[in-house]
Amino acid sequence: MEDSTSPATSKASEVVWPTPAVPGQGIPWHGPDRADGRSTPPGTGDRPGRAAGPVGPGPDRPATETRTEVPVNPDQEPGPTENAQLNGLSDRTGNPDHGLGPEAEDRAESSGQSASEPGPSVPVARGHHDAPGTVPEPGSGTGDRERAGLTADRDQDGTVVLDELRAAIGRYVVLPSEEALTAVTLWVAASHIQPALQHAPRLAVVGPTKGCGKSRVLDVLHETVSRPMMTVNTSPAVVFRIIGEDPPTLLVDEADTIFGPKAGDKEDLRGLLNAGHQRNRPAWRISGPEHKPTAFPTFAMAALAGIGDLPDTIMDRAVVLRMQKRKPGEKVAPFRSRHSVPELNALRDRLARWLTPLRGTAHRLVPPMPVEDRAADTWEPLVIVADLAGGHWPAQARAACLAMTRNEVVQDEQTTLKTRLLRDIRRVFEQQGDQEALRSHDLLAALIQDAEAPWAEYGTKGLNAYHLANLMRDFGISPANHRFENGRQAKAYARNQFLDAWARYCPDPAQPTPAAGDAVVARRAQGKPPAPPSGTLPIGPPGGPSGPRPTR
């Protein structure tokens, strides 16, 4: 006799997952999510012995949607004796679908009551003798229409929950752009599938001064993310021991007191946050009375809020929110625990009910990304959630990814000293007619004369030849003896030495923008909005046509 749970013979109803993994394509429903509505614990992998079935009741899904195909007497609910008879019928007929099997037994055990006890029971399909309240068998007629309606309701669950979460966050905080609001919403949702992720994106909530709403963002996150751990200051030893196989979501306020200029040596904590961006990067310590080497997990999502930018290595692994003080006309709802916390907690619970059963599906998804390298690693969990939700969220998530990543490219170009120096040197060469080489003395004089550049105040007496050579060394650029047209030799910088560095770190804005399909983040010149890439994604600069809000 065949196993009643064999995938080849099971006729359990197929589940249509909420949304496509790739826009326009379907998400495979076969996976490790249990047919009885309970999610498979992380790490158990696929269990082909389990028949696929619908997810259990949710906030917008009645319990009658959960069913199993078992023909029984319509006048009698199955109890232990009837189950045994049905199993015997399966043995006699050789049809494994006639028995309830282990799935029904698991459901009875998980509900805490036996099948013979009164109370709500799992509805069963009754063939041609459908009792009131049961789901008809799939086929022609009303059964197909009802099944299609149930599937449509399931497909809308993720979209509706994300829409409501986005609206709730927008009521309590003013974020720098619509794309930033989308990113925060998806980041919160991604915390509920942490065990299925390969990367744990950081959320950097930074602002130029106090009163920009950074702490309020963490208040909202604390009530909506999965397993929040709020702290104002912490040590690596504490974080090492808190993170486990099912990690918390770290919420660190006043991060400038940890990484600021007066914070002292915090390299251990910075290294932990850097390593925790990717799975399987443990920290080894000598621990216990026997002084044994012990590996401590570091993988965990983290949101850090503070004044000024965080260390570059953390910002590079983060979705960055550059907060600003509210304008006089910008209003937000007051955050009061007695009414705000229950509202946000209800959304958190709905997120968990929707996403927890989909962790196995999320683990298998490899969504197409509009960016690459570390930016793709950081944004992939957010795009996975958007693809699971479907509707307008896949396109909206990718649009936010492009816009916010481009904005950080501009911020990096404006704030990174070496990149600023490369741009200024290119400007000097252009002003000199793109000569083959410029003497070090002439190049330094032109750089220092720029009143808007920091070179006149660099060091103690301004930028000098030693500083210039030291800053350019990492790019493989150094001065050399050069013979000019008048026959004189002098230390000079050849223009062709800079071509590779210019193309990599500050490309000419006149160059055409790569297509979106190339998965390359297009850089843009300072002060100019990005050119929209080719394709169908409705993208734009953060905040709309006016471009990003000023930072500091």
Side-chain angles (χ1 to χ4, degrees):
M1 183 183 70
E2 295 180 311
D3 184 5
S4 62
T5 59
S6 172
T9 58
S10 175
K11 298 182 180 178
S13 300
E14 293 186 358
V15 170
V16 180
W17 288 112
T19 58
V22 180
Q25 301 181 12
I27 294 180
W29 58 270
H30 298 85
D33 302 317
R34 293 175 58 98
D36 54 8
R38 290 177 289 160
S39 61
T40 302
T44 57
D46 294 345
R47 300 174 65 181
R50 294 289 188 186
V55 181
D60 302 319
R61 185 185 305 115
T64 55
E65 288 186 33
T66 305
R67 61 192 176 93
T68 180
E69 298 178 348
V70 182
V72 299
N73 188 335
D75 299 325
Q76 180 181 4
E77 288 296 329
T81 305
E82 288 78 4
N83 286 342
Q85 294 173 351
L86 290 172
N87 291 335
L89 178 62
S90 175
D91 292 341
R92 292 192 299 271
T93 60
N95 187 348
D97 294 324
H98 290 171
L100 289 178
E103 297 296 326
E105 296 171 4
D106 288 347
R107 279 191 286 273
E109 293 173 2
S110 63
S111 63
Q113 69 179 57
S114 65
S116 60
E117 293 178 357
S121 59
V122 178
V124 294
R126 303 175 183 271
H128 299 290
H129 304 282
D130 294 332
T134 59
V135 180
E137 284 294 319
S140 59
T142 59
D144 281 345
R145 291 194 296 271
E146 188 170 351
R147 180 180 173 85
L150 296 176
T151 301
D153 291 340
R154 291 193 192 100
D155 290 344
Q156 294 174 1
D157 283 351
T159 304
V160 171
V161 173
L162 289 184
D163 287 344
E164 294 181 8
L165 175 63
R166 189 179 192 275
I169 295 174
R171 284 197 297 271
Y172 293 111
V173 293
V174 176
L175 293 169
S177 66
E178 291 297 317
E179 291 83 358
L181 181 55
T182 296
V184 174
T185 303
L186 294 173
W187 192 89
V188 169
S191 70
H192 291 269
I193 57 171
Q194 273 197 85
L197 300 177
Q198 292 300 313
H199 292 87
R202 279 72 185 94
L203 187 69
V205 189
V206 298
T209 63
K210 63 180 182 181
C212 294
K214 301 180 296 296
S215 296
R216 178 66 70 237
V217 172
L218 293 190
D219 290 337
V220 174
L221 295 182
H222 185 268
E223 307 305 330
T224 51
V225 300
S226 174
R227 301 189 62 210
M229 190 198 94
M230 178 77 81
T231 180
V232 175
N233 202 330
T234 188
S235 67
V238 172
V239 179
F240 285 151
R241 285 159 177 80
I242 288 177
I243 297 176
E245 294 301 324
D246 189 10
T249 304
L250 304 177
L251 305 175
V252 183
D253 202 0
E254 308 294 341
D256 50 297
T257 64
I258 301 176
F259 301 110
K262 299 180 180 180
D265 186 10
K266 294 289 184 179
E267 289 303 304
D268 282 352
L269 185 57
R270 185 168 70 91
L272 185 154
L273 291 171
N274 290 341
H277 179 259
Q278 185 172 349
R279 193 174 289 278
N280 298 325
R281 296 292 186 273
W284 287 86
R285 293 290 186 273
I286 299 296
S287 179
E290 298 181 0
H291 302 285
K292 290 184 177 180
T294 305
F296 290 92
T298 62
F299 183 82
M301 293 178 64
L304 301 96
I307 297 176
D309 282 3
L310 301 173
D312 289 343
T313 53
I314 294 178
M315 297 286 281
D316 192 38
R317 294 165 169 82
V319 175
V320 182
L321 304 181
R322 296 191 175 274
M323 304 294 291
Q324 294 291 326
K325 277 194 172 184
R326 287 188 288 117
K327 296 178 181 178
E330 292 178 329
K331 302 295 183 182
V332 295
F335 188 90
R336 298 292 182 267
S337 298
R338 62 180 175 272
H339 60 81
S340 302
V341 170
E343 173 198 5
L344 296 175
N345 286 170
L347 286 170
R348 177 198 62 199
D349 296 341
R350 292 178 63 188
L351 281 172
R353 286 195 296 267
W354 167 48
L355 288 171
T356 301
L358 298 180
R359 287 178 177 178
T361 303
H363 178 72
R364 296 190 297 273
L365 291 186
V366 183
M369 299 294 298
V371 294
E372 60 181 8
D373 298 332
R374 184 161 287 155
D377 296 339
T378 299
W379 279 85
E380 184 182 66
L382 280 63
V383 173
I384 286 176
V385 171
D387 283 352
L388 290 174
H392 58 86
W393 281 98
Q396 193 169 327
R398 289 169 172 85
C401 173
L402 278 171
M404 295 186 68
T405 304
R406 285 173 170 169
N407 191 45
E408 285 309 301
V409 169
V410 175
Q411 293 293 332
D412 183 66
E413 289 180 355
Q414 293 174 350
T415 56
T416 301
L417 193 65
K418 293 179 180 179
T419 306
R420 172 67 185 269
L421 182 56
L422 283 173
R423 291 202 322 272
D424 289 350
I425 291 174
R426 182 174 62 188
R427 176 182 51 79
V428 173
F429 269 100
E430 291 173 351
Q431 292 174 350
Q432 299 296 328
D434 287 332
Q435 297 182 19
E436 181 182 351
L438 288 177
R439 293 190 302 173
S440 300
H441 176 76
D442 296 337
L443 179 58
L444 285 168
L447 292 171
I448 293 174
Q449 287 176 2
D450 187 353
E452 297 182 357
W455 313 123
E457 300 176 355
Y458 187 86
T460 56
K461 297 182 180 180
L463 189 69
N464 57 33
Y466 172 78
H467 296 148
L468 180 59
N470 191 44
L471 290 171
M472 292 293 98
R473 184 175 296 112
D474 289 341
F475 301 112
I477 300 172
S478 59
N481 290 328
H482 184 81
R483 185 179 297 277
F484 291 88
E485 294 180 356
N486 56 11
R488 294 184 178 179
Q489 287 188 356
K491 288 285 187 180
Y493 285 88
R495 183 178 181 277
N496 60 8
Q497 280 190 303
F498 292 91
L499 297 180
D500 182 74
W502 287 341
R504 294 180 183 276
Y505 298 98
C506 50
D508 190 345
Q511 295 177 353
T513 302
D518 296 336
V520 177
V521 178
R523 299 173 182 265
R524 59 185 172 93
Q526 179 180 355
K528 295 183 180 180
S534 60
T536 59
L537 292 180
I539 70 166
S546 61
R549 299 185 182 186
T551 52
R552 280 189 277 182

